[in-house]
Amino acid sequence: MTTNTYTTPALDPARTALLLMDFQPVVLGAVPDPEGVLARAGEALAWARAHGAHVVFVRVALAEKDAAAVPAHNKTFSQAVAAGYLTDGTAATAVHESLKAGEDDLTVRKTRISAFASDTDLRAELRARGVDTLVLAGLSTSGVVLTTLRQAADEDYRLFLLADATADPDPEVHRVLMEKVFPHQAEIISTADLAALSTAAQ
């Protein structure tokens, strides 16, 4: 009988994109230890810069026309429109100032939860760059991380999730997703693991 075995793959930075998702003041304010998770995101960004991985900044923000198109039955975004806290062009919806975009980085603005929402060109951009592996970090675990990870898995990306650069307003929800849901579709690692995994590929 043939048994299929699986080992954690190494990271080839040239085919890898680091997705830093929703690291915005409006979202950071809702999670525990925002300074800590932001610092880990910064470390992941430094790794990507040092090893030549692609970098994608993902942020959620609604322009006036986007807000007008949100139906009342969309609970999450209709509430955001009413409160006005996802308005594009405000400091609250900008990528946090500590995470500086470089000339070759991608910045994706989305108007729904997933980084692969239909109004973004992320899928085409990744394909054009030859990316088949994603390293995910973001806020919140039950929001952009969950929806993006599940969609990316269905599209056959190799996935790594940075547990220490991800957080949720509800620590128990974060724990359950990290321990019981995400391991079925992604490698759960820390930012400290990145250097060793990329060195192994070389």
Side-chain angles (χ1 to χ4, degrees):
M1 185 175 81
T2 301
T3 301
N4 292 326
T5 60
Y6 178 80
T7 58
T8 301
L11 277 170
D12 178 359
R15 303 184 64 83
T16 297
L18 169 66
L19 269 62
L20 297 171
M21 304 181 292
D22 295 6
F23 284 98
Q24 304 162 254
V26 67
V27 185
L28 279 159
V31 301
D33 188 25
E35 295 83 5
V37 72
L38 192 59
R40 300 295 85 75
E43 292 175 10
L45 179 58
W47 164 82
R49 298 268 189 256
H51 290 82
H54 305 274
V55 177
V56 182
F57 293 94
V58 179
R59 67 185 188 95
V60 56
L62 303 177
E64 186 176 349
K65 65 178 180 62
D66 303 318
V70 173
H73 60 260
N74 185 321
K75 290 184 178 181
T76 298
F77 282 90
S78 63
Q79 292 174 10
V81 169
Y85 59 76
L86 290 182
T87 302
D88 192 24
T90 65
T93 58
V95 175
H96 192 273
E97 61 184 5
S98 68
L99 302 174
K100 303 292 187 182
E103 184 177 343
D104 295 328
D105 298 341
L106 296 174
T107 299
V108 174
R109 182 178 71 89
K110 60 192 178 73
T111 62
R112 292 296 185 270
I113 294 174
S114 173
F116 288 100
S118 60
D119 60 342
T120 76
D121 56 358
L122 178 59
R123 189 178 287 102
E125 291 283 2
L126 294 175
R127 187 181 302 116
R129 294 180 180 220
V131 169
D132 60 15
T133 301
L134 303 180
V135 176
L136 305 178
L139 311 170
S140 61
T141 316
S142 60
V144 67
V145 177
L146 172 62
T147 56
T148 301
L149 187 150
R150 300 304 290 267
Q151 189 164 359
D154 280 350
E155 297 191 18
D156 297 326
Y157 283 98
R158 180 182 294 116
L159 296 173
F160 294 80
L161 178 58
L162 299 178
D164 57 347
T166 301
D168 194 87
D170 187 329
E172 179 61 11
V173 169
H174 175 84
R175 183 192 68 79
V176 170
L177 288 171
M178 285 292 178
E179 295 180 5
K180 297 183 178 296
V181 178
F182 293 157
H184 295 288
Q185 294 178 304
E187 303 295 334
I188 311 301
I189 63 172
S190 71
T191 53
D193 296 322
L194 287 170
L197 288 170
S198 52
T199 299
Q202 297 168 358

